[in-house]
Amino acid sequence: MSVQHPVAKPPRSVRFKPAFATPEEIRVGAVIFDRDYEMPGTVREVDAPFIEMSRPTGLAWRVHFRRLRPATDWEQRQLVAVGRLHKQRQKGKS
């Protein structure tokens, strides 16, 4: 007699309830968490249904608005810390 263990689903197959009903709910400059990249970013442009996001390091990408959710306070602080670190490292390269 063998015991069957549950198997976790791959991350992409997990269904999320959309945090935003329409792209118009997302404002330029807002800090949003991208579930695909698994990191927060700042909204640069809303081009429905896609949102252009960026990080302080210069990374920019586009993502469908249904893959986004508002960033938590901790994630917002994380984004600020990444910006400070990047700025400090850039000073050292001059």
Side-chain angles (χ1 to χ4, degrees), residues 1 5 9 36 48 61 75 81 91 93:
M1 180 170 234
H5 297 284
K9 293 182 181 181
D36 290 338
W61 71 100
E75 291 162 347
K91 283 183 182 179
K93 289 184 177 182

Side-chain angles (χ1 to χ4, degrees), residues 31-34 38-41 55 69-82:
V31 177
I32 304 291
F33 188 84
D34 182 351
E38 295 184 350
M39 64 182 173
R55 302 255 305 170
R69 65 166 172 78
T72 64
D73 290 340
W74 184 85
E75 291 162 347
Q76 290 180 18
R77 290 191 305 270
Q78 178 191 24
L79 190 64
V80 171
V82 166

Side-chain angles (χ1 to χ4, degrees), residues 36-49:
D36 290 338
Y37 275 77
E38 295 184 350
M39 64 182 173
T42 304
V43 177
R44 289 175 41 175
E45 183 181 347
V46 178
D47 183 21

Side-chain angles (χ1 to χ4, degrees), residues 14-94:
V14 176
R15 299 283 180 210
F16 293 104
K17 180 180 177 190
F20 301 104
T22 64
E24 288 77 27
E25 294 178 22
I26 302 171
R27 300 284 173 231
V28 173
V31 177
I32 304 291
F33 188 84
D34 182 351
R35 292 177 174 142
D36 290 338
Y37 275 77
E38 295 184 350
M39 64 182 173
T42 304
V43 177
R44 289 175 41 175
E45 183 181 347
V46 178
D47 183 21
F50 291 95
I51 308 299
E52 187 174 318
M53 299 181 64
S54 66
R55 302 255 305 170
T57 58
L59 173 67
W61 71 100
R62 290 170 52 96
V63 63
H64 195 278
F65 80 97
R66 293 202 181 266
R67 301 299 303 156
L68 302 173
R69 65 166 172 78
T72 64
D73 290 340
W74 184 85
E75 291 162 347
Q76 290 180 18
R77 290 191 305 270
Q78 178 191 24
L79 190 64
V80 171
V82 166
R84 285 187 194 141
L85 177 63
H86 182 69
K87 188 175 179 179
Q88 187 178 37
R89 287 184 175 176
Q90 292 302 312
K91 283 183 182 179
K93 289 184 177 182
S94 313

